[in-house]
């Protein structure tokens, strides 16, 4: 374990300035950690379900990139991919599973633990 001393101005981190802080090892989920997958999971966390094209356009990625990463998230059990039709047009919807929501919440908690000693936060104030 490594120890650091909290700098002045980092009081918002929950640590007092000058206090030594032990940084425990934190593991970030490698399935979610890839930037595109993190963006997908984050977007899906805000909705019950999202249409494939909406996610693609929101993230500014190609069909193939979204398909590849959504498949990896589905294999991990984090995303459900549902196919159907609207009229005669095929559509695909993505949603986070319960396991995916839990994994994302844990990822965010662990990321916050990593940045907390700096006085910064990834959490809303």
């Amino acid at each position: 374990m490594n120890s650091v001393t909290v700098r002045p101005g980092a009081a918002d981190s929950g640590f007092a300035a000058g206090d030594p802080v032990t940084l425990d090892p934190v593991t970030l989920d490698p399935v979610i950690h890839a930037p595109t997958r993190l963006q997908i999971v984050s977007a899906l966390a805000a909705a019950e379900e999202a249409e494939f094209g909406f996610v693609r356009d929101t993230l500014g990625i190609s069909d193939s990139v979204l398909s590849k990463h959504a498949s990896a998230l589905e294999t991990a059990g984090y995303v459900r991919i549902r196919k159907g039709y609207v009229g005669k047009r095929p559509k695909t919807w993505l949603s986070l599973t319960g396991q995916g929501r839990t994994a994302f919440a844990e990822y965010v908690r662990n990321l916050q633990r990593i940045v907390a000693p700096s006085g910064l936060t990834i959490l809303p104030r």
Side-chain angles (χ1 to χ4, degrees):
M1 288 189 228
N2 298 319
S3 181
V4 297
T5 302
V6 177
R7 67 174 174 72
D12 288 344
S13 68
F15 303 108
D19 282 352
V21 176
T22 300
L23 300 176
D24 295 323
V26 176
T27 302
L28 294 175
D29 186 326
V31 174
I32 295 175
H33 193 63
T36 300
R37 285 188 223 140
L38 178 56
Q39 289 180 298
I40 292 166
V41 171
S42 182
L44 294 177
E48 290 293 320
E49 187 173 65
E51 198 271 323
F52 185 95
F54 174 81
V55 176
R56 178 200 60 218
D57 295 345
T58 298
L59 302 182
I61 57 178
S62 68
D63 285 354
S64 62
V65 168
L66 178 52
S67 182
K68 175 185 168 191
H69 287 292
S71 291
L73 290 164
E74 181 183 42
T75 298
Y78 293 174
V79 166
R80 177 176 178 255
I81 299 174
R82 181 175 69 86
K83 295 185 179 280
Y85 288 87
V86 173
K88 293 184 178 189
R89 298 187 134 205
K91 294 284 183 180
T92 301
W93 294 270
L94 307 173
S95 60
L96 281 183
T97 63
Q99 181 182 351
R101 288 188 185 281
T102 299
F104 180 60
E106 182 68 18
Y107 183 92
V108 171
R109 277 192 296 277
N110 285 339
L111 190 56
Q112 181 56 42
R113 286 178 53 210
I114 291 170
V115 302
S118 72
L120 299 174
T121 183
I122 62 166
L123 303 174
R125 296 189 183 254

